[in-house]
Amino acid sequence: MHERLVQFTDKAQDPAGTRTTSYQLLALPPALAALLSTAPSSSSSALEIRGDLADSAVLVTDWQTYALRGVQNSNSLCVCASGSGDDEGRQKWFVSGTGGSVGASAEPAIDDADDGPARKKTKYAPIEIEAVLHETLEAVPAVARTDKLEALLKGAEYAGDAAEEDAATQATRQHVTFDSLRSRIPASDAEIRTALKRNRVVELDGYLRPLPSSFLLSILPSVLSTLPVPAAIAHTAAPTGKKDKGKGKAVPAAASSGPVWTEAEDDDLVDALDAVDCGSEQVARALLGWFGEELEVAGKRRWKLDARQVVKEVGIVSLANGGFGRQPLDPFVTKWKSVAGGFAPLCELSLLAGLHICEPPPLSTIQYLPPSSLSPDPAARFAELFSLKSRWLEADMSLFIDDLTGGDKKKRDALVLKFVRKVRERETTWWTPRNLWT
């Protein structure tokens, strides 16, 4: 049997008092292991741990967030290093079954075998145990937690030229940069940028500036009025010659859910926004970039925009501007169409799916309900939804819980199994709350 001296690191015997190293095992899934193996050695670290004191720490790549969870090891694992053999007070011995007899003490030992001459045993450097680990961290894919983005950017809003010139507003303004934000939100850079776009945040002079719904409602109609209305949309509400109470017959181009592309000159759009208190070209072009792309045709800059997405944004900010309470449905739709102007045929409630709930007649109300206004905790989220409606259709409720699972159907089914009871009435299946008092 081979014998080897083992000793534990004694921090108290470190004269400089500099032994502060600690260890933690991290098990990486195949995707992360492949990322580390292919990352250039000269590039910055491919992995980063983020989260402030109020959050659970997460591991992020450039585009993905991983939750960290501790798993107890069935056997204790030791972190070892070669020792010097000078710490005689804590020397231990262990025997490894590799055959042969080898000594490892600081002093040479004499072989006391009876069948041969005495000989010295070979000396080996002792093993020094620096830490004993009882837990391993596992990295599992997780949904980015960007729910506190609105709170972090509160006070940094851009509300037009007049507000920028107000000295009182400038004195109380928050100055938030992307670098300061990424250190406080447990999400990857790509996921944070997606959340910034979703929350209508622009970068102005290096600082992040949200655009309030009231400001967007005042400037987006100028964009729509500058865009040429495609022929298919212009003829959507044309009379059909039948007694249809003045309503036109919708054509497929307007009724479809695909994009409705239209182009306009860059100067025309920027000037139109400047005329409604949005004089910053940087803000104007960032806003236009949400709905399309910039082109260069015959040496002139043009914008190719999806008019359907602009109309959708007008509907969202109109709904948000009315608060989170219920408001009459018909007056809301009428106002939405009047603001959309020539693009009024595109104003359909299906564009706002997942951002509102409607009550049928005789109430006929609509309520603004973006998922960002709901709790990120699954139990609280289902409780809030069932407090608004006692039963839901699967297609309707799924829109308000998909952000909890990142679109993962298996995770969504697990949440439904835990919090939802399915009740079938004739050919319709309703989702009702599951009693959790037990």
Side-chain angles (χ1 to χ4, degrees):
M1 301 290 286
H2 282 183
E3 296 179 345
R4 192 75 177 267
L5 178 65
V6 177
Q7 61 189 32
F8 289 87
T9 298
D10 191 350
K11 297 181 180 180
Q13 294 186 10
D14 179 23
T18 58
R19 287 187 183 270
T20 59
T21 303
S22 61
Y23 299 89
Q24 180 66 62
L25 296 178
L26 176 62
L28 298 179
L32 282 181
L35 175 65
L36 289 179
S37 63
T38 57
S41 58
S42 59
S43 65
S44 59
S45 177
L47 303 180
E48 183 180 350
I49 292 180
R50 291 183 184 172
D52 57 21
L53 296 178
D55 297 315
S56 298
V58 296
L59 189 70
V60 301
T61 64
D62 290 337
W63 58 85
Q64 177 66 51
T65 301
Y66 292 85
L68 296 175
R69 63 184 184 186
V71 178
Q72 294 295 320
N73 299 325
S74 57
N75 296 312
S76 297
L77 301 176
C78 300
V79 178
C80 304
S82 296
S84 61
D86 297 333
D87 187 3
E88 298 293 342
R90 304 193 68 202
Q91 289 182 357
K92 305 288 182 182
W93 289 87
F94 78 90
V95 179
S96 60
T98 56
S101 178
V102 180
S105 63
E107 297 295 331
I110 304 299
D111 190 351
D112 55 357
D114 296 334
D115 56 349
R119 62 183 183 274
K120 293 183 180 180
K121 295 181 180 180
T122 305
K123 293 190 296 182
Y124 286 88
I127 293 176
E128 184 175 339
I129 297 180
E130 296 196 8
V132 179
L133 305 179
H134 305 282
E135 182 184 60
T136 299
L137 292 180
E138 287 187 345
V140 293
V143 178
R145 294 291 300 272
T146 58
D147 46 280
K148 63 179 182 178
L149 181 64
E150 183 178 352
L152 292 175
L153 293 175
K154 188 175 182 179
E157 293 83 359
Y158 177 88
D161 300 339
E164 292 296 295
E165 296 173 359
D166 188 353
T169 303
Q170 293 182 4
T172 59
R173 179 177 302 145
Q174 297 290 333
H175 294 85
V176 183
T177 64
F178 183 78
D179 287 338
S180 65
L181 192 68
R182 66 197 291 269
S183 65
R184 302 190 60 185
I185 293 183
S188 66
D189 287 358
E191 291 165 325
I192 293 176
R193 294 191 185 279
T194 299
L196 290 175
K197 181 179 179 180
R198 185 173 60 248
N199 286 270
R200 299 316 187 199
V201 180
V202 300
E203 189 169 358
L204 179 61
D205 298 329
Y207 297 108
L208 299 177
R209 309 291 300 278
L211 303 187
S213 59
S214 57
F215 177 64
L216 287 171
L217 186 58
S218 67
I219 64 175
L220 286 176
S222 297
V223 176
L224 289 175
S225 64
T226 307
L227 293 173
V229 180
I233 303 299
H235 291 88
T236 297
T240 60
K242 298 181 181 180
K243 295 181 179 180
D244 55 1
K245 298 182 181 181
K247 295 182 180 179
K249 183 179 180 180
V251 298
S256 68
S257 58
V260 178
W261 297 110
T262 181
E263 296 183 16
E265 299 286 344
D266 174 80
D267 292 340
D268 294 340
L269 290 168
V270 172
D271 290 343
L273 290 171
D274 186 17
V276 287
D277 204 31
C278 182
S280 171
E281 292 189 11
Q282 194 174 356
V283 172
R285 291 194 171 94
L287 181 145
L288 295 173
W290 296 337
F291 308 109
E293 59 180 344
E294 189 176 8
L295 307 173
E296 186 170 346
V297 180
K300 292 184 177 181
R301 292 201 295 183
R302 297 176 62 84
W303 283 94
K304 180 182 178 183
L305 303 181
D306 182 0
R308 192 184 298 276
Q309 291 302 314
V310 182
V311 169
K312 175 181 177 179
E313 190 67 21
V314 170
I316 294 173
V317 297
S318 298
L319 193 57
N321 211 40
F324 290 96
R326 294 178 180 177
Q327 50 186 303
L329 177 59
D330 291 339
F332 163 74
V333 175
T334 301
K335 179 182 177 181
W336 183 16
K337 290 184 176 181
S338 66
V339 173
F343 294 94
L346 299 177
C347 297
E348 300 173 350
L349 287 179
S350 59
L351 287 179
L352 308 181
L355 297 170
H356 76 284
I357 55 176
C358 283
E359 290 291 343
L363 294 178
S364 297
T365 60
I366 187 171
Q367 182 177 356
Y368 182 50
L369 190 69
S372 60
S373 67
L374 300 171
S375 172
D377 176 67
R381 173 74 63 91
F382 279 94
E384 289 173 342
L385 292 174
F386 283 122
S387 68
L388 294 170
K389 293 174 63 175
S390 59
R391 62 180 190 173
W392 292 73
L393 292 173
E394 176 182 358
D396 294 338
M397 179 174 270
S398 297
L399 297 173
F400 295 96
I401 62 175
D402 280 346
D403 63 305
L404 297 176
T405 62
D408 190 320
K409 188 178 183 301
K410 290 185 178 180
K411 291 182 179 179
R412 193 201 71 174
D413 291 344
L415 290 179
V416 171
L417 184 64
K418 184 175 182 180
F419 297 108
V420 171
R421 183 182 301 277
K422 297 182 180 181
V423 178
R424 186 173 182 83
E425 292 183 1
R426 297 182 181 179
E427 297 182 357
T428 303
T429 300
W430 296 95
W431 285 9
T432 61
R434 179 179 292 277
N435 293 328
L436 299 177
W437 60 271
T438 56

